[in-house]
């Protein structure tokens, strides 16, 4: 089973790795067998699995059975569960209560939350719950950002760097950087000792994450940065 210590060792060796989303048994089994070390049961299930327009409507009760299915279906991959919007923002106690549900009811191995919620992260880590951070274009804040836009340009770059350092100090074992300039992601990677996982953040990250439906060409309108390695939409339509 992949552990957070294994991921730290990969960074030390300069060995890059891949991370994919998964929301159910079949993809979890396939990706695990293919050697993907980390699977994310993301709130991206909202607009890739549950028929929502974005991630905001996704609930804890919706993600728990998806996480359970993935966790039960892997033999090697580390399973990370997203904490959905509204399940941690009001304080560290709520974040802990939500995370405990994902661990006890779904069998998650770690959780991910968006933004610089340092107190919540410290509470989770001190309680034995590994935490993955997420900075840059955080989808749960899409309304505040006015859409899915590149973050971290100009003076905002320093804020993201400071937040990344704060997440590391709070105990995060890795950080996702989404939709930020490649040079900023490269700088952050060099300034923190924990793995930096890019998505639309350039190639100079320790790892890359993609939504699996984007990767496989199932998404009708995928983000520009999401390369499709197959055309399963066309294959399935033809079948």
């Amino acid at each position: 089973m992949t552990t957070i210590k294994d991921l730290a060792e990969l960074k030390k060796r300069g060995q890059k790795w891949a991370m994919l989303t998964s929301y159910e048994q079949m993809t979890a089994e396939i990706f695990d067998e293919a050697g993907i070390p980390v699977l994310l049961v993301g709130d991206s299930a909202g607009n890739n699995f549950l028929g929502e327009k974005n991630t905001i409507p996704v609930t804890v009760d919706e993600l728990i059975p998806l996480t359970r299915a993935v966790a039960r279906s892997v033999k090697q991959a580390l399973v990370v569960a997203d904490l959905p919007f509204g399940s941690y923002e009001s304080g560290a106690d709520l974040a802990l209560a939500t995370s405990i549900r994902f661990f006890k009811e779904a069998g998650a191995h770690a959780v991910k939350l968006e933004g610089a919620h340092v107190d919540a992260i410290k509470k989770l880590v001190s309680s034995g719950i590994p935490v993955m951070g997420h900075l840059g274009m955080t989808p749960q804040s899409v309304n505040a950002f006015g859409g899915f836009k590149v973050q971290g340009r100009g003076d905002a770059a320093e804020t993201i760097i400071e937040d990344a350092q704060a997440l590391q100090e709070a105990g995060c074992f890795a950080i996702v950087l989404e939709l930020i300039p490649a040079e900023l992601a490269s700088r952050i990677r060099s300034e923190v000792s924990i793995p930096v996982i890019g998505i639309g953040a350039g190639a100079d990250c320790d790892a890359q994450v993609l939504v699996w439906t984007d990767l496989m060409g199932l998404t009708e309108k995928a983000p520009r940065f999401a390369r499709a390695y197959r055309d399963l939409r066309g294959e399935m339509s033809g079948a």
Side-chain angles (χ1 to χ4, degrees):
M1 177 69 71
T2 301
T3 68
I4 61 175
K5 290 184 178 180
D6 293 329
L7 301 181
E9 184 60 30
L10 290 177
K11 170 140 186 164
K12 289 181 182 178
R13 298 204 304 260
Q15 183 175 338
K16 297 189 177 185
W17 45 277
M19 173 170 142
L20 290 174
T21 64
S22 179
Y23 315 114
E24 37 63 49
Q25 175 186 352
M26 293 300 174
T27 55
E29 289 179 350
I30 293 168
F31 300 157
D32 187 56
E33 291 171 0
I36 303 298
V38 182
L39 296 181
L40 171 66
V41 187
D43 56 5
S44 53
N47 50 320
N48 292 281
F49 196 76
L50 298 172
E52 303 288 357
K53 292 183 178 180
N54 53 45
T55 67
I56 295 173
V58 178
T59 68
V60 173
D61 287 339
E62 288 173 327
L63 278 190
I64 281 181
L66 305 188
T67 305
R68 184 186 302 123
V70 172
R72 286 177 173 175
S73 303
V74 302
K75 296 179 180 178
Q76 297 298 326
L78 179 78
V79 177
V80 181
D82 255 336
L83 299 190
F85 180 69
S87 70
Y88 62 93
E89 291 89 344
S90 66
D93 289 340
L94 177 61
L96 179 59
T98 303
S99 300
I100 287 173
R101 287 196 63 192
F102 275 104
F103 269 62
K104 291 182 71 69
E105 298 177 36
H109 307 139
V111 298
K112 179 173 76 66
L113 54 81
E114 298 181 2
H117 295 276
V118 172
D119 290 340
I121 293 167
K122 288 180 178 179
K123 180 93 170 183
L124 297 180
V125 172
S126 67
S127 301
I129 297 175
V131 180
M132 178 180 288
H134 188 156
L135 298 173
M137 174 60 226
T138 46
Q140 292 174 12
S141 301
V142 62
N143 291 326
F145 290 142
F148 289 90
K149 301 177 180 179
V150 175
Q151 303 297 310
R153 287 180 171 146
D155 295 339
E158 293 301 322
T159 299
I160 294 180
I161 293 171
E162 292 171 2
D163 286 346
Q165 293 169 337
L167 293 189
Q168 174 176 262
E169 292 172 6
C172 282
F173 70 88
I175 303 173
V176 171
L177 297 177
E178 182 168 354
L179 268 183
I180 67 171
E183 59 272 18
L184 175 58
S186 180
R187 180 179 170 188
I188 292 172
R189 181 199 181 199
S190 67
E191 293 191 12
V192 299
S193 60
I194 58 178
V196 169
I197 306 161
I199 178 166
D204 193 21
C205 294
D206 300 299
Q208 297 288 334
V209 59
L210 280 177
V211 173
W212 86 263
T213 50
D214 294 344
L215 174 87
M216 298 297 182
L218 275 176
T219 310
E220 186 173 14
K221 293 182 179 180
R224 287 185 297 175
F225 61 78
R227 175 184 170 187
Y229 287 74
R230 294 292 186 273
D231 179 23
L232 287 194
R233 193 177 187 91
E235 289 292 320
M236 292 174 72
S237 178

